[in-house]
Amino acid sequence: MKKIFAIIKDKKRLHSILFEGNDPLSRPVDIFIMVCIGLCVLMASLESVVKVDDYSLQAIFHQELSGIGILKTCIIVLEYVLSILFTIEYILRVYCSPVKKDYVLSFFGIIDLLATLPQLLSIFFPPLRYLSIMRTFRLIRIFRVLKLFAFINEGYLLLESIRKSINKILVYFFFVVVLVCILGTLMFIVEGQIPGTEFTSIPKSIYWAIVTLTTVGYGDITPTTGLGQFLSGIVMILGYTIIAVPTGIVSASMIDTTKKKGQNGRCPRCNEKTDLNANYCKHCGERL
Amino acid sequence: MKKIFAIIKDKKRLHSILFEGNDPLSRPVDIFIMVCIGLCVLMASLESVVKVDDYSLQAIFHQELSGIGILKTCIIVLEYVLSILFTIEYILRVYCSPVKKDYVLSFFGIIDLLATLPQLLSIFFPPLRYLSIMRTFRLIRIFRVLKLFAFINEGYLLLESIRKSINKILVYFFFVVVLVCILGTLMFIVEGQIPGTEFTSIPKSIYWAIVTLTTVGYGDITPTTGLGQFLSGIVMILGYTIIAVPTGIVSASMIDTTKKKGQNGRCPRCNEKTDLNANYCKHCGERL
Amino acid sequence: MKKIFAIIKDKKRLHSILFEGNDPLSRPVDIFIMVCIGLCVLMASLESVVKVDDYSLQAIFHQELSGIGILKTCIIVLEYVLSILFTIEYILRVYCSPVKKDYVLSFFGIIDLLATLPQLLSIFFPPLRYLSIMRTFRLIRIFRVLKLFAFINEGYLLLESIRKSINKILVYFFFVVVLVCILGTLMFIVEGQIPGTEFTSIPKSIYWAIVTLTTVGYGDITPTTGLGQFLSGIVMILGYTIIAVPTGIVSASMIDTTKKKGQNGRCPRCNEKTDLNANYCKHCGERL
Amino acid sequence: MKKIFAIIKDKKRLHSILFEGNDPLSRPVDIFIMVCIGLCVLMASLESVVKVDDYSLQAIFHQELSGIGILKTCIIVLEYVLSILFTIEYILRVYCSPVKKDYVLSFFGIIDLLATLPQLLSIFFPPLRYLSIMRTFRLIRIFRVLKLFAFINEGYLLLESIRKSINKILVYFFFVVVLVCILGTLMFIVEGQIPGTEFTSIPKSIYWAIVTLTTVGYGDITPTTGLGQFLSGIVMILGYTIIAVPTGIVSASMIDTTKKKGQNGRCPRCNEKTDLNANYCKHCGERL
């Protein structure tokens, strides 16, 4: 306990634990936070299955003594515990930031706030528990899991490859959006006049075009006329063919990255470890 | 206003603004046109949702004063404004072209005409507003958005990669069409005789083959016999495997292009900018 | 007419026209045959739509004089004309082959026979027209279109790339078949006992596994239990990930082929045409 | 018979036949085992179709003399024969292993046991035949088929390519799982409140997200609101784009492997066979 207060007093150390991850304590703390987030996701899933509808503190003591009643009690208790933990985490993060505004207004600062606020407000003002839609915002807490990626070194090469080709992918993405609009409107012209058609409006037809071009194919909207089926056949083969483009982009970029760094960050000639941004191996001079 | 007329008088400058894009004014003009097209697409989508059925000028003043009525009025007014703008643009484009026939008969010349004509005709001859099917042609205006691609430099490398491999893709495309015909007829032989089958004719079976081979899988037509399910299983694994071919083509081409130009048009050795069609870096002599 | 007989008499020339394609006449002959095959495919499609049920010669004269009746007449007449043409072609091919057995027992020899025989038999023995299932074999004639690929030079590089990696693709194909069997049986264990399930037997569950793993996803068989949905979620992500493998195989092979021959069969250094199987450019000595 | 006992006595030889595959006898033995496994899979499939419900020895003699009755008899007899064969195989494998514990506790040792045990127990204790769910474990026997891959040399290169990139694929796999959780919960927020929605809980919404992101698209759960369709449109294009990532990973790795070993384990320069782990060709010194 004393130790914890000592750490909390030492703002610099606290900062390195919570933000930088180069302290011996930061690993267990990070893992603990992640387990909490995992529990949180599990709770949200369970809640939506067993349909918990009363989150007040009293509800904990008034559940039926059936299996589901006990599960509901566990969920509510855990909700409170997790809410308090996340609130403490948020306060500590703000507290140890050298420039508080920087953290509070950063991407993860806003997400951390959004993940804790609705729950807290519903504690102090019970009627707020009716803001059931607001409460669902808490689910965004799941985004925190994304922080996990900072842990995995392998992810770095992946991200680098994607970042390199992000421009081309965006151009491609934009092209797909335009194509989908054109195909959707074309399909609306062809099938929209048929009585009983599912192509009732252009946005819905665009939705169909996306479903088809990406080869998802729900089947909730399908062409019924011969011309419509012919056109959608073309859309499908088109989608099938242009699926190759982003793959080509990422492959080209990934091969480039792989070749530069070697498959495992090792020189392909002497097999010694190379720096990640080196152009020549520092051991044998091989061009990477 | 005066300035605008000065520009209109200077045919050469007008041409460079509207067609070439190397004038300081061409950028804002292009962006303005694109915003108009974007609005146009949005209008077409909204129209199909709220079902506007009267496009006469009087209709503007006779809408109900409900939310949808006001929306309808806005749509109709914007339709007229956009039609006039596009007409002016079309006239200016024809006017400033040195060889008028070249533009009018070019791909975008015809699309520009098709995008403006039906709307215009329905203004001057009110009964023409019943040509509702003709009016939908106006939706082709959406094709103009394709011009956007000329703006984005990144798109150039993409297009070059695709153009290089277009021959192989066409061969592949043709192969898929033939394959789909064969598989469709085979499936018609297998499932066509079953009472209550959805494989009622060969074209419909070919449509099914496309839906299946491209892994879209709507589920509106599915095999019911054991043999039919066995055959379609083979079709699926086949489609799953040959999806690799266009990807391989584009990847190979893209890697080739990337290697030649460097990832960002830079020499991989000295990292200086290289010319797009250079075979050797002009700074260090490295073969690109 | 005389000219035709002269050619027919010259067995060697006839052989080079029909089989080798290096005679000035072989191109038009091939195109003519292909047009006939195309017509044949079109006929088969139309037949299945308008449901022609009487193929006897008399039927030609007893159709109703409606649009569909005339169409039926055209179909029947064309059927006979095409049958005769294909029979003549088959006879000529057998006639001009130096070793007749070689052609008759070759892959295309058998297909050519199967494509002409059922039709012929139904002419001489009218009751044979009831062998409607046999008649559908005639649709295999569509396979002839595959011969088209020999015409297109671009296809050569494609085929070479695929042939190089055919071994790996077969291993992969076999792996997918095994995987699909395992996943299908697992799913049958999980979902097979539920009343009203669509997973009624293992072969049907394997069919489901193929539909899911290849990301086709008809939706005619879907899991309903939580465990079944969890398992199929894993199958989907698995399918999504292993789709990468054949793509990788073909890409690697295609890049290899492309690099060796240059993108257009030209040396990447001096840009001169290279031989297709050369390892070094014959103009500048560059290693290909 | 004598010969068989001689082999069984020679533990070393038996081990090399059953485990190592470098004995002249190991090939036919392996093929025999594989045929047995194939039969076993076929039996399991047939059983689930004809619904065999009594596996006792007496049942063999009490089947009706109809086609299905005879089929059932064959299935039951074959079941017993195969069970005995697999038991003998298991005993021999344990017997000839130098360190018995190593085999029994190895992956294939456990699978071999699980594949034989349930069947055996149901022979000695007839009431155990009601453990129908346990019996299905026997289907895991299918995993033995995976051993097939040891035969095919081509598979080695494939596995090497995949093993090299397994880390990256796992990171990607984890990323997809997180993404799917986020998208599922988002969709539950958007569509979960609509009456009659199919998005009844978060796990079900996550299932939907997997079905959509992997482009399977069953269509058993589909969005009905405009916002839901918009969001799922984004999910689809996202899934369509990120499908490129694992492909890129595997392609890069496969190209790397291919380049190192040559397409067929041959030096790209002198075309001589190279060792699989060589970095330089042992014939001409070319770097591989």
Side-chain angles (χ1 to χ4, degrees):
Chain A
M1 208 61 194
K2 217 171 168 181
K3 227 168 151 185
I4 291 173
F5 278 109
I7 292 167
I8 290 172
K9 261 181 198 158
D10 185 354
K11 270 196 194 190
K12 254 190 189 163
R13 211 188 149 192
L14 195 64
H15 187 263
S16 79
I17 289 172
L18 285 173
F19 285 97
E20 285 152 39
N22 46 17
D23 190 276
L25 260 176
S26 61
R27 230 186 129 76
V29 166
D30 274 332
I31 288 169
F32 178 71
I33 292 172
M34 259 170 279
V35 170
C36 287
I37 296 168
L39 268 175
C40 206
V41 173
L42 196 74
M43 284 307 103
S45 294
L46 276 177
E47 253 179 77
S48 70
V49 174
V50 300
K51 311 279 175 208
V52 181
D53 37 23
D54 187 356
Y55 282 92
S56 64
L57 275 169
Q58 298 94 292
I60 299 171
F61 308 103
H62 291 85
Q63 295 293 341
E64 315 157 39
L65 275 171
S66 64
I68 283 172
I70 291 161
L71 186 62
K72 278 186 183 174
T73 313
C74 291
I75 290 170
I76 298 169
V77 170
L78 253 169
E79 283 286 333
Y80 279 105
V81 171
L82 288 172
S83 295
I84 291 161
L85 279 175
F86 285 130
T87 313
I88 291 169
E89 192 213 340
Y90 183 71
I91 290 165
L92 284 181
R93 276 183 193 270
V94 174
Y95 162 77
C96 76
S97 296
V99 189
K100 276 159 189 57
K101 224 179 63 183
D102 275 12
Y103 167 66
V104 174
L105 298 178
S106 73
F107 177 66
F108 276 117
I110 290 163
I111 281 178
D112 285 350
L113 187 65
L114 283 175
T116 49
L117 211 64
Q119 196 70 28
L120 283 179
L121 292 179
S122 74
I123 293 174
F124 299 116
F125 304 95
L128 272 178
R129 71 169 180 266
Y130 295 114
L131 286 171
S132 66
I133 285 148
M134 264 298 276
R135 242 183 46 228
T136 46
F137 256 104
R138 187 191 29 150
L139 293 168
I140 298 173
R141 216 179 263 165
I142 211 173
F143 276 110
R144 288 213 211 177
V145 185
L146 288 172
K147 283 188 195 169
L148 285 169
F149 286 99
F151 289 73
I152 306 158
N153 264 328
E154 271 300 332
Y156 179 79
L157 274 170
L158 258 182
L159 283 174
E160 199 188 20
S161 296
I162 293 164
R163 206 182 46 236
K164 255 185 194 166
S165 50
I166 197 74
N167 272 3
K168 279 187 207 143
I169 285 177
L170 282 180
V171 171
Y172 173 77
F173 193 92
F174 177 72
F175 170 72
V176 167
V177 168
V178 169
L179 193 67
V180 144
C181 289
I182 293 171
L183 294 171
T185 44
L186 270 178
M187 208 61 188
F188 177 68
I189 298 172
V190 169
E191 288 261 333
Q193 320 287 350
I194 312 295
T197 183
E198 285 146 332
F199 296 83
T200 50
S201 69
I202 288 180
K204 213 161 186 184
S205 302
I206 290 174
Y207 166 72
W208 168 86
I210 295 174
V211 169
T212 303
L213 197 75
T214 58
T215 76
V216 169
Y218 281 142
D220 51 350
I221 306 175
T222 49
T224 48
T225 62
L227 185 57
Q229 291 182 341
F230 178 74
L231 190 66
S232 53
I234 290 171
V235 173
M236 284 166 214
I237 299 185
L238 203 68
Y240 192 59
T241 310
I242 67 170
I243 209 171
V245 176
T247 306
I249 297 169
V250 176
S251 291
S253 166
M254 215 154 269
I255 287 158
D256 207 60
T257 313
T258 305
K259 204 182 286 158
K260 271 210 185 108
K261 313 303 172 200
Q263 193 68 26
N264 315 297
R266 286 175 177 283
C267 167
R269 186 169 162 209
C270 65
N271 214 20
E272 296 284 330
K273 278 230 162 183
T274 57
D275 295 335
L276 214 54
N277 52 358
N279 287 322
Y280 294 86
C281 171
K282 62 185 175 186
H283 300 284
C284 66
E286 177 75 5
R287 215 177 101 206
L288 301 174
Chain B
M1 207 60 194
K2 216 171 170 183
K3 228 169 152 186
I4 290 172
F5 277 109
I7 291 167
I8 289 172
K9 259 180 199 159
D10 184 354
K11 270 195 193 190
K12 255 192 189 162
R13 209 186 151 194
L14 195 63
H15 187 262
S16 79
I17 290 172
L18 285 174
F19 285 95
E20 287 153 38
N22 47 16
D23 190 276
L25 259 177
S26 62
R27 230 186 129 75
V29 165
D30 275 332
I31 288 168
F32 178 71
I33 292 172
M34 260 171 278
V35 169
C36 287
I37 295 168
L39 268 174
C40 206
V41 173
L42 196 73
M43 284 306 104
S45 294
L46 277 176
E47 252 178 77
S48 70
V49 174
V50 301
K51 312 277 175 206
V52 181
D53 38 22
D54 187 358
Y55 282 92
S56 64
L57 274 169
Q58 299 94 291
I60 299 171
F61 308 104
H62 291 85
Q63 296 292 341
E64 314 158 40
L65 274 170
S66 65
I68 283 173
I70 291 163
L71 186 62
K72 279 186 183 175
T73 313
C74 290
I75 290 170
I76 298 169
V77 170
L78 253 169
E79 283 286 334
Y80 279 106
V81 171
L82 289 172
S83 294
I84 291 161
L85 279 175
F86 285 129
T87 313
I88 291 169
E89 192 214 339
Y90 183 71
I91 291 164
L92 284 181
R93 275 181 192 272
V94 173
Y95 162 76
C96 76
S97 296
V99 188
K100 276 159 189 55
K101 221 178 65 181
D102 275 11
Y103 166 67
V104 173
L105 297 178
S106 74
F107 177 66
F108 275 117
I110 290 163
I111 281 179
D112 285 350
L113 187 64
L114 282 175
T116 49
L117 210 65
Q119 196 70 28
L120 282 178
L121 292 179
S122 73
I123 293 174
F124 299 115
F125 304 95
L128 270 180
R129 72 168 177 269
Y130 296 113
L131 286 172
S132 66
I133 284 148
M134 264 298 276
R135 242 184 48 227
T136 46
F137 257 105
R138 184 194 29 152
L139 293 168
I140 299 174
R141 215 179 263 166
I142 210 174
F143 278 108
R144 289 215 210 176
V145 186
L146 287 172
K147 283 188 194 169
L148 285 169
F149 287 99
F151 288 75
I152 307 158
N153 264 328
E154 272 300 330
Y156 180 81
L157 274 171
L158 258 183
L159 283 175
E160 198 187 20
S161 296
I162 293 163
R163 204 182 48 235
K164 256 185 193 167
S165 49
I166 198 73
N167 272 3
K168 280 187 206 144
I169 286 176
L170 281 180
V171 171
Y172 172 78
F173 194 92
F174 177 72
F175 170 72
V176 167
V177 168
V178 170
L179 194 67
V180 144
C181 289
I182 293 171
L183 293 171
T185 45
L186 270 178
M187 208 60 188
F188 178 69
I189 297 171
V190 169
E191 290 261 333
Q193 320 287 349
I194 312 294
T197 183
E198 285 146 334
F199 295 84
T200 50
S201 69
I202 288 180
K204 213 163 188 182
S205 301
I206 290 173
Y207 165 71
W208 168 86
I210 296 174
V211 169
T212 302
L213 197 76
T214 57
T215 77
V216 169
Y218 281 141
D220 51 351
I221 305 175
T222 50
T224 48
T225 62
L227 185 59
Q229 291 182 343
F230 178 75
L231 190 66
S232 53
I234 290 171
V235 174
M236 284 165 211
I237 299 186
L238 202 69
Y240 192 58
T241 310
I242 66 170
I243 209 173
V245 175
T247 307
I249 297 168
V250 177
S251 291
S253 165
M254 216 155 267
I255 287 157
D256 207 60
T257 313
T258 306
K259 205 182 286 161
K260 272 213 184 103
K261 314 302 172 199
Q263 192 68 29
N264 316 297
R266 284 173 179 285
C267 166
R269 184 167 162 210
C270 66
N271 213 20
E272 296 285 330
K273 277 230 164 186
T274 57
D275 294 335
L276 214 54
N277 52 358
N279 286 323
Y280 293 87
C281 171
K282 62 185 174 185
H283 301 285
C284 67
E286 177 75 5
R287 216 178 100 206
L288 300 174
Chain C
M1 208 59 196
K2 215 172 172 182
K3 227 170 155 186
I4 290 172
F5 279 109
I7 291 167
I8 290 172
K9 259 179 199 159
D10 184 354
K11 271 196 193 188
K12 255 191 190 163
R13 209 187 150 194
L14 195 63
H15 187 264
S16 78
I17 290 171
L18 285 173
F19 286 96
E20 286 152 37
N22 45 19
D23 191 276
L25 258 176
S26 62
R27 230 186 130 76
V29 166
D30 275 331
I31 288 168
F32 177 71
I33 292 172
M34 262 171 276
V35 170
C36 287
I37 296 168
L39 268 174
C40 206
V41 173
L42 197 73
M43 284 306 105
S45 294
L46 277 175
E47 251 179 78
S48 69
V49 175
V50 301
K51 313 275 176 210
V52 181
D53 38 23
D54 187 357
Y55 282 93
S56 64
L57 274 168
Q58 300 93 292
I60 299 171
F61 308 104
H62 290 86
Q63 297 292 342
E64 314 157 39
L65 274 170
S66 63
I68 283 172
I70 291 161
L71 187 61
K72 278 185 185 175
T73 314
C74 291
I75 290 170
I76 297 169
V77 170
L78 252 168
E79 283 286 333
Y80 280 105
V81 171
L82 288 171
S83 295
I84 291 160
L85 279 175
F86 285 129
T87 313
I88 291 169
E89 191 212 342
Y90 183 72
I91 291 164
L92 284 181
R93 275 180 194 271
V94 173
Y95 162 76
C96 76
S97 297
V99 189
K100 277 160 187 56
K101 221 177 66 181
D102 276 12
Y103 167 67
V104 173
L105 298 177
S106 73
F107 178 66
F108 275 118
I110 290 163
I111 281 179
D112 285 350
L113 186 65
L114 282 175
T116 48
L117 209 64
Q119 196 70 29
L120 283 178
L121 291 179
S122 75
I123 294 176
F124 299 117
F125 305 93
L128 270 179
R129 72 168 179 268
Y130 295 114
L131 286 172
S132 64
I133 285 148
M134 265 297 277
R135 243 185 44 230
T136 47
F137 257 104
R138 184 192 31 150
L139 293 168
I140 299 173
R141 215 179 264 166
I142 210 174
F143 278 108
R144 288 213 212 177
V145 187
L146 288 172
K147 284 189 195 169
L148 286 168
F149 288 99
F151 288 76
I152 307 157
N153 264 327
E154 273 299 332
Y156 180 80
L157 273 172
L158 257 182
L159 282 176
E160 198 187 21
S161 297
I162 293 164
R163 205 181 45 237
K164 256 187 195 166
S165 49
I166 198 74
N167 272 3
K168 280 187 205 144
I169 286 176
L170 281 180
V171 171
Y172 172 78
F173 194 92
F174 178 73
F175 170 72
V176 167
V177 169
V178 170
L179 194 67
V180 144
C181 288
I182 294 172
L183 293 170
T185 45
L186 270 178
M187 207 60 188
F188 177 68
I189 298 172
V190 170
E191 290 260 333
Q193 319 288 348
I194 311 296
T197 183
E198 286 147 333
F199 294 84
T200 50
S201 69
I202 289 180
K204 214 162 186 183
S205 302
I206 291 174
Y207 167 71
W208 168 86
I210 296 174
V211 169
T212 302
L213 197 76
T214 57
T215 77
V216 169
Y218 281 142
D220 51 350
I221 305 176
T222 50
T224 49
T225 62
L227 184 58
Q229 290 182 343
F230 179 74
L231 190 66
S232 54
I234 290 172
V235 174
M236 284 164 212
I237 299 185
L238 202 68
Y240 192 58
T241 310
I242 65 169
I243 209 172
V245 175
T247 308
I249 296 168
V250 177
S251 290
S253 164
M254 216 156 266
I255 287 157
D256 207 61
T257 313
T258 307
K259 205 183 285 159
K260 274 215 184 101
K261 316 300 173 200
Q263 192 69 29
N264 315 298
R266 285 174 177 284
C267 167
R269 186 168 161 208
C270 65
N271 214 20
E272 295 287 328
K273 278 232 165 181
T274 57
D275 294 337
L276 215 52
N277 52 357
N279 287 323
Y280 295 86
C281 172
K282 61 184 174 186
H283 301 285
C284 68
E286 177 76 4
R287 213 177 100 207
L288 299 174
Chain D
M1 207 62 192
K2 216 171 170 183
K3 227 169 155 186
I4 291 172
F5 278 108
I7 292 166
I8 290 172
K9 260 181 199 157
D10 185 355
K11 271 196 193 187
K12 255 191 189 163
R13 209 185 152 196
L14 195 64
H15 186 265
S16 78
I17 289 171
L18 286 174
F19 286 97
E20 285 153 38
N22 45 19
D23 191 275
L25 260 176
S26 60
R27 230 187 129 75
V29 166
D30 275 331
I31 288 169
F32 178 71
I33 292 172
M34 260 171 279
V35 169
C36 287
I37 296 168
L39 268 174
C40 207
V41 173
L42 197 73
M43 283 307 105
S45 294
L46 276 176
E47 252 179 78
S48 70
V49 174
V50 301
K51 312 277 176 210
V52 180
D53 37 24
D54 187 357
Y55 281 93
S56 63
L57 275 169
Q58 297 92 293
I60 299 170
F61 308 104
H62 291 85
Q63 297 292 342
E64 316 156 38
L65 275 169
S66 64
I68 283 172
I70 291 161
L71 187 62
K72 278 185 185 176
T73 314
C74 291
I75 289 170
I76 298 169
V77 170
L78 253 169
E79 283 286 332
Y80 279 105
V81 171
L82 289 172
S83 295
I84 291 160
L85 279 175
F86 285 130
T87 313
I88 291 169
E89 191 213 342
Y90 184 71
I91 291 165
L92 284 181
R93 275 181 193 269
V94 173
Y95 161 76
C96 76
S97 297
V99 189
K100 276 159 187 58
K101 223 178 64 184
D102 275 13
Y103 167 66
V104 174
L105 298 177
S106 73
F107 177 66
F108 275 118
I110 290 163
I111 281 178
D112 285 350
L113 187 65
L114 282 175
T116 49
L117 210 65
Q119 196 69 29
L120 283 178
L121 292 179
S122 73
I123 293 174
F124 300 116
F125 304 93
L128 271 179
R129 70 169 182 268
Y130 294 114
L131 286 172
S132 65
I133 285 148
M134 263 298 277
R135 245 183 44 229
T136 46
F137 256 103
R138 187 190 29 149
L139 293 167
I140 298 174
R141 217 179 263 167
I142 211 174
F143 276 108
R144 287 212 212 178
V145 185
L146 288 173
K147 284 188 195 170
L148 285 168
F149 287 99
F151 293 107
I152 307 157
N153 265 327
E154 272 299 332
Y156 180 81
L157 273 170
L158 258 183
L159 282 175
E160 198 187 19
S161 296
I162 293 163
R163 205 180 48 235
K164 255 186 195 166
S165 49
I166 198 75
N167 273 2
K168 279 186 206 143
I169 286 177
L170 281 180
V171 171
Y172 172 78
F173 194 92
F174 179 73
F175 170 72
V176 167
V177 169
V178 170
L179 194 67
V180 145
C181 287
I182 293 171
L183 293 171
T185 44
L186 270 178
M187 208 60 189
F188 178 69
I189 298 171
V190 169
E191 289 261 333
Q193 320 287 348
I194 311 295
T197 182
E198 285 146 334
F199 295 84
T200 50
S201 69
I202 288 180
K204 214 162 185 184
S205 302
I206 290 173
Y207 166 72
W208 168 86
I210 296 174
V211 169
T212 303
L213 197 76
T214 57
T215 76
V216 169
Y218 281 142
D220 51 350
I221 306 175
T222 50
T224 49
T225 62
L227 185 57
Q229 291 182 342
F230 179 73
L231 189 66
S232 53
I234 289 171
V235 174
M236 284 165 213
I237 299 185
L238 202 68
Y240 191 58
T241 310
I242 66 170
I243 210 171
V245 176
T247 307
I249 296 169
V250 177
S251 290
S253 164
M254 214 154 268
I255 287 157
D256 207 61
T257 313
T258 306
K259 205 183 285 158
K260 272 212 185 106
K261 314 300 171 200
Q263 193 68 29
N264 315 299
R266 286 174 177 284
C267 166
R269 187 168 160 210
C270 66
N271 213 22
E272 296 285 329
K273 278 230 163 181
T274 57
D275 295 336
L276 214 54
N277 52 357
N279 287 321
Y280 294 86
C281 171
K282 61 184 176 186
H283 302 284
C284 67
E286 177 75 5
R287 215 177 100 206
L288 300 175

